[in-house]
């Protein structure tokens, strides 16, 4: 492991060593050795190796894919600017990646209190509720739970949202002009269902985003709660001093 401070935990030493390799020797997408291989190579227990990999995953330097292994993350990926209008499809295309959406769930239900409050509708009003998996180059990127008021998008179907970007449907099919969107985001950890859909470990770091979209009539036309892989997304906010 080299000469290091005896006070430094072994897993910290391994974190430093692997981080140096990631910075200087490896490329985004490269496969790292398995836990067993790292354990044997550096004479460490599997528990110590697992702690080190967990730390690197938390830092966003690696990502673990079930059944495939541990890979170097793309730390140079382009950031999404939250000050501009944001469309996952448009953003991925601008980055030269191929976007894809898989509709996991689509249904009409009565609005619960939280959803009704966000959409500014009455408790029990009908809403479309959809759960979508967003991918880029076939890599799972985020899971979105989106709610739309049925009154504004009458006759919307599963086939519609499966075949066209949602904002295109809003603006072109229903003539709802999007004026602005408010978005909050915070760090969290992946819960079981989302982790499975995203192909990451349960408890892995994620970003949770809450988005409220307004039309030019100042009506709320979308409420979306997203869970994004922390190793695939980073966001920036630009502040302009007036």
């Amino acid at each position: 492991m080299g000469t290091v401070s005896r006070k430094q935990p072994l897993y910290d030493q391994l974190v430093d060593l692997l981080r140096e390799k990631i910075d200087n020797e490896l490329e985004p997408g490269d496969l790292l050795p398995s836990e067993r291989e790292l354990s044997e190579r550096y004479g460490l227990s599997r528990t110590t190796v697992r702690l080190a990999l967990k730390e690197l995953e938390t830092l966003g330097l690696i990502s673990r894919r079930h059944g495939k292994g541990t890979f170097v993350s793309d730390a140079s990926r382009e950031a999404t600017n939250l000050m501009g209008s944001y469309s996952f499809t448009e953003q991925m295309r601008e980055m030269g990646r191929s976007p894809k959406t898989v509709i996991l769930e689509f249904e009409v239900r009565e609005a619960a209190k939280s959803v009704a409050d966000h959409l500014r509708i009455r408790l029990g009003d009908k809403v479309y509720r959809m759960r979508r998996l967003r991918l880029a180059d076939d890599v799972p990127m985020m899971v979105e739970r989106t709610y739309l008021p049925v009154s504004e998008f009458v006759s919307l179907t599963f086939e519609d949202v499966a075949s066209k970007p949602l904002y295109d449907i809003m603006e072109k099919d229903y003539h709802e002009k999007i004026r602005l969107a408010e978005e909050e985001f915070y760090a969290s950890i992946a819960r079981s269902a989302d982790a499975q859909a995203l192909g990451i470990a349960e408890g892995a770091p994620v970003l949770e985003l809450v988005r409220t979209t307004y039309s030019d009539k100042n009506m709320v036309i979308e409420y979306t709660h997203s869970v994004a892989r922390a190793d695939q997304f980073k966001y920036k906010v630009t502040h302009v001093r007036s």
Side-chain angles (χ1 to χ4, degrees), residues 139-169:
V139 176
M141 301 284 282
M142 65 165 60
V143 176
E144 296 180 336
R145 291 171 179 81
T146 294
Y147 301 86
L148 310 176
V150 168
S151 60
E152 297 300 311
F153 303 99
V154 177
S155 302
L156 185 68
T157 66
F158 175 95
E159 288 71 25
D160 291 334
V161 297
S163 62
K164 292 184 285 187
L166 183 58
Y167 289 169
D168 282 359
I169 294 173

Side-chain angles (χ1 to χ4, degrees), residues 110-126:
E110 294 183 353
K113 185 178 186 305
S114 175
V115 173
D117 289 346
H118 278 94
L119 289 175
R120 296 183 181 175
I121 59 178
R122 293 174 301 180
L123 183 68
D125 279 359
K126 299 293 185 181

Side-chain angles (χ1 to χ4, degrees), residues 169-181:
I169 294 173
M170 288 179 171
E171 295 192 318
K172 295 177 182 178
D173 297 350
Y174 289 89
H175 309 292
E176 291 281 6
K177 185 174 178 57
I178 296 171
R179 182 176 66 86
L180 66 87

